[in-house]
Amino acid sequence: MHGSASDTVGGVRVRVEQTPLPGIGVRHDLVTSSGRTVGVVSHRNGRRDLVLYDVDDPDACLASIPLTDGEAEALADVLGASLMLGQLAGLRQQAAGLLTEQIALPAGSAFVGRRLGDTKARTRTSASIVAVLRDREVIASPGPSFYFEANDVVVAVGTRDGLDGVTAILAGDHDD
C-alpha cells in the first residue's frame, strides 16, 4: 500500500509519498522542485536513514546516510529554523516598513535569566519578539513568562527604530 500526503508551504504544494517496507519500516519520499528525490527510511528498530535517489533512475539510491536520534533532531531543527526565518523574510517583503532582525542576547545582559515580559519590549518599542533561537531549537512565539538564557538569539519584527530599541533593551542600555 502506497500513500501520499500534500502540504502547502509558502504557497507551494509539496507532496510526500509514504511507502511501507515490509519487515523494515516505512519510507517517506519528497520530490523537490528541481526534480530530485530525497527520502527518509524509518526502520522498525528506530534507525533512520536519509537517502538521495538518482535523478535518472528514481529507484536507484545514490547515497544513504544513517542518522542517530540526535542527528535527525538536529537536521529537523536546522531545516525548521531556516524555513521559519525564510517565511519571516517573505513577510518582511510584504509589509512595507517592517524589518526582521536576529538580535544576539549578550551574555552580560540584565535579561539573562529573566522573563521576556520584564523587557516590556513591545510596549516600549512597538517591535515584537516573534521567536528565540537557542542552540539548535526554535522557540516560536515565546510568551511573557519565557525565560532568556545567555547566547539566545532573539528574532524580532518591527521598524528600524523599534528593532534598535529592542537591541538596546537587551544589551541593558535602557533597563528600567
Side-chain angles (χ1 to χ4, degrees):
M1 180 150 166
H2 203 74
S4 69
S6 295
D7 198 6
T8 302
V9 179
V12 177
R13 197 152 182 90
V14 177
R15 183 176 166 164
V16 176
E17 292 197 9
Q18 178 178 325
T19 306
L21 303 172
I24 298 172
V26 66
R27 184 180 82 200
H28 292 89
D29 293 330
L30 168 84
V31 179
T32 68
S33 60
S34 66
R36 300 300 305 264
T37 302
V38 64
V40 175
V41 175
S42 299
H43 296 259
R44 290 181 0 176
N45 66 5
R47 185 177 123 197
R48 285 176 214 82
D49 295 320
L50 182 64
V51 291
L52 179 64
Y53 298 97
D54 188 327
V55 71
D56 297 322
D57 181 1
D59 292 325
C61 179
L62 288 178
S64 177
I65 304 166
L67 298 174
T68 65
D69 288 347
E71 292 163 343
E73 184 177 332
L75 182 59
D77 287 345
V78 167
L79 292 171
S82 65
L83 177 63
M84 188 184 93
L85 292 174
Q87 290 170 341
L88 287 173
L91 275 176
R92 176 178 43 202
Q93 293 171 353
Q94 294 174 14
L98 284 182
L99 303 169
T100 303
E101 191 163 281
Q102 294 182 41
I103 305 164
L105 183 69
S109 170
F111 291 101
V112 170
R114 289 181 56 196
R115 297 176 324 126
L116 180 141
D118 294 342
T119 67
K120 300 180 184 142
R122 189 175 359 190
T123 302
R124 294 163 63 188
T125 68
S126 296
S128 294
I129 295 174
V130 298
V132 174
L133 310 177
R134 177 177 291 159
D135 297 320
R136 296 181 182 154
E137 184 181 0
V138 177
I139 301 146
S141 303
S145 61
F146 173 83
Y147 280 87
F148 287 113
E149 293 181 7
N151 302 315
D152 279 350
V153 176
V154 171
V155 180
V157 176
T159 63
R160 175 78 269 145
D161 286 345
L163 295 174
D164 289 346
V166 171
T167 301
I169 289 167
L170 295 177
D173 295 349
H174 293 93
D175 189 20
D176 290 336

